Amino acid sequence: MDSRVTIFENLISVKQQKGAGYLILIDPDKQSPEKTVQRAIDSEQNGADALLIGGSLLFSTQFDHLVSKVKEKLKIPVIVFPGSLRQISSYADAILFLVLISGRNPNNLIGEQVLAAPIIKALGIEPISTGYMLVESGRATAAEYMSNTRPIPRHKPEIAIAHTLAAEYMGMKLAYLEAGSGADLTVPNEMIYAVAKNVTIPLIVGGGIKKPEEAYEKVKAGASFLVTGNVLEEKSDFGLIRAFAQAIHHLEK
Ligand code: 1GP
């Protein structure tokens, strides 16, 4: 990783070179700290372009320490995907500066951001402004419950388009279409296609993706970055990580 380029620029060049980027999400609460570090190493060695770390809730009290341990071992960017203010770490390369634009909860639209901004500035972490949208996925997800917001109906792509355009016009760098961690149903390909056709900012898509073929379809529909979390949590499956990376990096085929 060239330290003169920002993490955002690094992600964009991954997308340009490989067709799309593969982000693996690790929730620190889902395994021991040792296992978290090992999973991060396995992710890098088998084709992930960046590691996301965070969760809707956080039971662990060792977040900062854990990020430092993960960072020590990795060359790919370590990006915080924060569920709350407790998930800010000076050891991370960047933080997704999330604005929950699909909801109408002022706390997730500006409240948390105002509290986080001075901390991010003081710690010198790169914030990547991201319009975050929850998409209806079959049953209530943790992000939905914790944020006390309603997701975008899955058969209303025009609502997702309008929200993503608003994010773009407000100067956000990325948009994240999120079905939710462990979602029953993934973000519909039709919605990804409709949004991608109408905006210029890159789309991150995640939630409930279990198969490399699904990831490939979402990339073909217009996703610039794919996130998987749960599917790799049960066991270390290097083959599956490689298959996801191969499906997502479609320009490398
Ligand atoms: C959740 O999009 C991510 O925030 C990943 O979801 O754990 O279901 O892969 P999964």
Side-chain angles (χ1 to χ4, degrees):
M1 201 168 65
D2 183 343
S3 58
R4 289 163 304 178
V5 301
T6 65
I7 299 301
F8 176 70
E9 287 164 348
N10 175 288
L11 291 176
I12 296 303
S13 77
V14 163
K15 182 207 153 23
Q16 282 162 352
Q17 286 164 27
K18 302 181 179 178
Y22 182 26
L23 315 179
I24 293 188
L25 171 66
I26 298 187
D27 181 338
D29 281 338
K30 299 275 179 75
Q31 62 280 299
S32 67
E34 297 71 32
K35 194 79 211 289
T36 298
V37 174
Q38 191 54 52
R39 282 196 54 214
I41 296 169
D42 296 342
S43 301
E44 174 173 280
Q45 288 180 348
N46 291 287
D49 299 298
L51 192 84
L52 295 182
I53 186 158
S56 292
L57 268 175
L58 185 66
F59 285 77
S60 163
T61 52
Q62 305 288 316
F63 188 72
D64 202 39
H65 177 68
L66 196 61
V67 177
S68 83
K69 290 281 155 215
V70 166
K71 182 61 205 161
E72 234 173 65
K73 303 278 183 197
L74 295 200
K75 290 194 191 65
I76 58 171
V78 176
I79 304 173
V80 170
F81 177 42
S84 76
L85 275 174
R86 285 180 57 216
Q87 298 172 33
I88 301 178
S89 170
S90 57
Y91 298 102
D93 294 300
I95 182 165
L96 292 185
F97 199 73
L98 300 175
V99 182
L100 181 47
I101 56 172
S102 59
R104 299 296 180 267
N105 180 343
N107 206 37
N108 305 122
L109 288 166
I110 186 63
E112 293 276 312
Q113 292 79 358
V114 168
L115 296 174
I119 305 172
I120 290 171
K121 167 95 173 157
L123 296 177
I125 317 162
E126 178 186 328
I128 305 177
S129 173
T130 304
Y132 188 58
M133 287 162 279
L134 299 178
V135 177
E136 191 192 344
S137 59
R139 59 182 166 141
T141 60
E144 209 176 301
Y145 181 82
M146 294 305 294
S147 63
N148 197 17
T149 64
R150 292 170 68 192
I152 296 174
R154 54 187 292 108
H155 301 298
K156 294 286 177 192
E158 64 278 14
I159 297 181
I161 295 172
H163 280 77
T164 315
L165 275 176
E168 180 169 321
Y169 298 160
M170 285 192 280
M172 293 177 190
K173 288 182 166 170
L174 296 170
Y176 194 139
L177 287 169
E178 169 75 278
S181 180
D184 284 346
L185 304 170
T186 61
V187 175
N189 298 336
E190 300 71 27
M191 181 181 277
I192 298 168
Y193 179 75
V195 172
K197 227 171 45 163
N198 281 281
V199 303
T200 62
I201 54 173
L203 296 181
I204 306 177
V205 174
I209 299 169
K210 296 183 189 70
K211 294 187 188 138
E213 307 82 72
E214 289 176 301
Y216 179 67
E217 282 165 16
K218 295 193 186 312
V219 165
K220 291 311 271 180
S224 294
F225 301 98
L226 253 287
V227 182
T228 66
N230 275 270
V231 71
L232 297 166
E233 269 161 15
E234 270 123 55
K235 61 183 169 82
S236 291
D237 188 338
F238 304 154
L240 187 58
I241 302 176
R242 280 198 291 270
F244 269 114
Q246 208 182 18
I248 293 164
H249 299 151
H250 62 101
L251 287 187
E252 289 192 330
K253 279 179 184 165

